[in-house]
Amino acid sequence: MKIGIVGMGAFSDDFVKLFTLHPDVEEVVVADLDETRVQKAMEKHHIKRGYTSYEELLEKADDVDSIAIFTQRHLHGPMIVKALKAGKHVYSAVPIGCTLEEIEEIVKLAGETRQIYMMGETCYYYPCAIYCREKYATGEMGKFVYGESQYYHDICEMYGDYQRSGGERWRRVAGIPPMFYPTHSISMLFSAINEHAVKVSCMGYRDNHEDDIFGEDKNNWANPFSNETAIFQMSGGGIARINEFRRVGINKPSSYITCFYGEKGAYECSITNHSYQRGIASGEEPYVEDVGPLVNTIDYNEDLKNGTMDMSKDPISIKYIQGPAKIQDYSRLPKSFRETVSRNHYNSHPFLVDDFVRAVKTGKLPPNNAWESARYMIPGLIAHESALRGGELLDVPDLGDAPVDWEKLTFEPYEE
Ligand SMILES: NC(=O)c1ccc[n+]([C@@H]2O[C@H](COP(=O)([O-])OP(=O)(O)OC[C@H]3O[C@@H](n4cnc5c(N)ncnc54)[C@H](O)[C@@H]3O)[C@@H](O)[C@H]2O)c1
């Protein structure tokens, strides 16, 4: 496969590297509006073809069969539609799109053309999400009753991320409604229970900070809220509480499941404390188990075991809340990926790139496909509408399951 990667900002660098290293990728070409970013990426990753816009890449590199989109978050929807219409398979960073119409069109195109669309949802491969998904699938936890997950990311002026590509008017984009970027928090919980949202009530924190990011006249979405809290009624009857905060005094981790309760068992987390508990209804002796050895990063567990953790200096060091964890299945990755641990986002990037390449190669449906991505994103769009209406209870539209005759991707180890 040949892939065109669009957007050479801060996030794509690791993905350019991984696509270049994957044994089933023949060529990577890149594009950005900023020529210096294109040059830098080409030199660093030994890339032969670079372009100064998405349109130019589509036109001049029409031999690429796949596109990966890493432009700013509000630009994805129309770019994905364009690539699908041009007959390409598409990977995009989160989110899939920022309007219901965009997402409906992507789902329709994916269904009609059977081209792959996959959203690169890093949190799908976060250790806590894998733990809850796998544990819940055993049936041991009983039916899902309630869960809480969140994505906390303070985007105050000091943070600087939106200034990088937004110029003087960066606030117009930084003020995007928090629930227009809900896929990290939602995917962790919803993918574990394999249900979708049917109703939502959401409250917004009206932000009056002097940095002027949030407010009806201050951003492109007339969004007054920096923080939003939504309560979803799920299709199986359970309840999910989702927080999306953009002004909050927290460091890390930024995305995590706080609690996940079934009728018989539960997972709870507080930073690096992860427990699994069995209740009396399980029919067995109730107990609490420390599942940190599986869910915490390997670095954390090793330093804990060796007594080399200096809590006075660095209580929760970045190395303890990034990087790989034992629960992730490395044996399925190609050799070149197993040798290249990417610390960012709990080493989720290699799994995402490998999912997409396998899907393109086999034509099978990957996780985080168009239908699942729609179910991670649309609830947030409706939640924001509810917040604007003071918490009014609203129905969440559902675009349904992926076609039943589309075989799902499996993850046999590579023969290398
Ligand atoms: N954990 C995660 O999943 C995660 C983390 C970080 C970022 N992201 C997502 O990754 C994406 C990129 O984030 P970033 O921080 O690198 O952004 P960035 O602003 O650093 O980079 C975006 C780049 O896209 C380029 N671009 C915009 N329109 C273009 C066009 N038409 N043609 C070619 N290039 C174009 C810009 O010039 C810029 O260089 C965002 O959507 C963000 O939400 C996801």
Side-chain angles (χ1 to χ4, degrees), residues 287-359:
Y287 72 89
V288 181
E289 178 189 354
D290 174 10
V291 294
L294 275 177
V295 181
N296 278 321
T297 61
I298 291 165
D299 278 348
Y300 177 89
N301 284 324
E302 276 181 4
D303 285 2
L304 190 67
K305 194 172 78 195
N306 300 336
T308 48
M309 197 176 285
D310 187 350
M311 299 299 268
S312 64
K313 269 199 201 133
D314 199 4
I316 298 295
S317 150
I318 194 85
K319 79 176 198 182
Y320 298 142
I321 45 124
Q322 295 285 316
K326 196 173 168 197
I327 198 160
Q328 295 167 324
D329 176 16
Y330 288 87
S331 65
R332 58 155 275 195
L333 293 174
K335 189 163 169 279
S336 54
F337 281 18
R338 292 198 301 274
E339 287 165 354
T340 329
V341 171
S342 135
R343 305 205 60 81
N344 287 333
H345 303 112
Y346 286 102
N347 197 33
S348 54
H349 304 179
F351 290 93
L352 294 172
V353 170
D354 187 50
D355 285 1
F356 183 66
V357 175
R358 281 178 190 252

Side-chain angles (χ1 to χ4, degrees), residues 5-13 15 31-34 37 51-55 69-76 79 93-95 120-123 126 151 153 159 161-166 181 183-184 255 345 348-349 352:
I5 307 185
V6 191
M8 296 296 107
F11 186 53
S12 60
D13 183 62
F15 291 86
D32 198 289
L33 299 174
D34 181 335
R37 291 181 184 177
Y51 304 93
T52 49
S53 76
Y54 179 39
E55 291 66 29
I69 296 168
F70 289 89
T71 56
Q72 294 92 315
R73 58 196 66 180
H74 61 293
L75 304 176
H76 299 174
M79 295 177 104
V94 300
E121 181 44 76
T122 46
C123 290
Y126 274 25
Y151 171 56
H153 197 153
Y159 175 59
D161 239 32
Y162 285 88
Q163 290 95 314
R164 187 168 48 243
S165 304
Y181 197 78
T183 65
H184 292 333
S255 316
H345 303 112
S348 54
H349 304 179
L352 294 172

Side-chain angles (χ1 to χ4, degrees), residues 190 195-200 232-235 375 379 396-398:
F190 288 21
E195 292 178 18
H196 60 273
V198 290
K199 285 189 183 296
V200 63
F232 292 100
Q233 178 84 67
M234 300 303 294
S235 52
R375 283 174 166 169
V396 179
D398 178 46

Side-chain angles (χ1 to χ4, degrees), residues 73-75 95 98 155 162 170-181 213-214 219-221 223 225-226 228 246 377 384:
R73 58 196 66 180
H74 61 293
L75 304 176
C98 285
I155 56 129
Y162 285 88
W170 64 271
R171 290 178 180 78
R172 302 294 311 173
V173 173
I176 190 170
M179 281 288 168
F180 280 26
Y181 197 78
I213 296 172
F214 302 98
N219 54 65
N220 295 348
W221 295 266
N223 167 42
F225 306 127
S226 54
E228 295 182 313
R246 304 293 174 263
M377 186 63 205
H384 179 63

Side-chain angles (χ1 to χ4, degrees), residues 52-319:
T52 49
S53 76
Y54 179 39
E55 291 66 29
E56 194 193 354
L57 185 152
L58 283 178
E59 193 191 314
K60 294 193 178 152
D62 65 351
D63 57 327
V64 301
D65 47 77
S66 306
I67 295 288
I69 296 168
F70 289 89
T71 56
Q72 294 92 315
R73 58 196 66 180
H74 61 293
L75 304 176
H76 299 174
M79 295 177 104
I80 297 165
V81 167
K82 199 171 204 167
L84 287 171
K85 283 188 174 166
K88 315 290 182 193
H89 302 291
V90 189
Y91 175 102
S92 82
V94 300
I96 174 174
C98 285
T99 68
L100 185 56
E101 295 70 33
E102 285 168 9
I103 300 167
E104 281 172 338
E105 194 170 5
I106 293 164
V107 166
K108 187 167 163 278
L109 282 167
E112 283 170 4
T113 63
R114 297 284 171 122
Q115 287 153 216
I116 306 296
Y117 167 74
M118 185 187 133
M119 186 174 76
E121 181 44 76
T122 46
C123 290
Y124 181 84
Y125 285 112
Y126 274 25
C128 67
I130 298 175
Y131 182 82
C132 288
R133 201 156 59 232
E134 291 183 352
K135 198 63 162 175
Y136 189 67
T138 65
E140 205 185 277
M141 297 176 92
K143 200 173 161 230
F144 172 77
V145 291
Y146 178 82
E148 295 177 357
S149 63
Q150 46 270 313
Y151 171 56
Y152 293 150
H153 197 153
D154 196 317
I155 56 129
C156 64
E157 239 173 324
M158 280 86 86
Y159 175 59
D161 239 32
Y162 285 88
Q163 290 95 314
R164 187 168 48 243
S165 304
E168 279 180 13
R169 288 169 61 78
W170 64 271
R171 290 178 180 78
R172 302 294 311 173
V173 173
I176 190 170
M179 281 288 168
F180 280 26
Y181 197 78
T183 65
H184 292 333
S185 52
I186 287 185
S187 65
M188 291 193 290
L189 213 51
F190 288 21
S191 72
I193 56 177
N194 202 17
E195 292 178 18
H196 60 273
V198 290
K199 285 189 183 296
V200 63
S201 169
C202 181
M203 295 284 174
Y205 170 71
R206 192 168 279 275
D207 192 285
N208 290 314
H209 197 280
E210 64 213 15
D211 64 13
D212 274 347
I213 296 172
F214 302 98
E216 273 87 351
D217 55 344
K218 295 181 178 146
N219 54 65
N220 295 348
W221 295 266
N223 167 42
F225 306 127
S226 54
N227 298 337
E228 295 182 313
T229 294
I231 304 279
F232 292 100
Q233 178 84 67
M234 300 303 294
S235 52
I239 297 157
R241 191 281 282 140
I242 299 289
N243 282 351
E244 284 292 336
F245 289 2
R246 304 293 174 263
R247 190 167 322 272
V248 59
I250 190 170
N251 184 15
K252 292 269 177 180
S254 57
S255 316
Y256 56 102
I257 298 174
T258 330
C259 63
F260 183 109
Y261 301 135
E263 286 182 347
K264 297 180 184 172
Y267 160 87
E268 286 184 347
C269 148
S270 170
I271 309 183
T272 50
N273 292 316
H274 304 270
S275 68
Y276 176 67
Q277 313 173 20
R278 211 102 60 95
I280 193 155
S282 66
E284 293 182 29
E285 190 66 22
Y287 72 89
V288 181
E289 178 189 354
D290 174 10
V291 294
L294 275 177
V295 181
N296 278 321
T297 61
I298 291 165
D299 278 348
Y300 177 89
N301 284 324
E302 276 181 4
D303 285 2
L304 190 67
K305 194 172 78 195
N306 300 336
T308 48
M309 197 176 285
D310 187 350
M311 299 299 268
S312 64
K313 269 199 201 133
D314 199 4
I316 298 295
S317 150
I318 194 85
K319 79 176 198 182

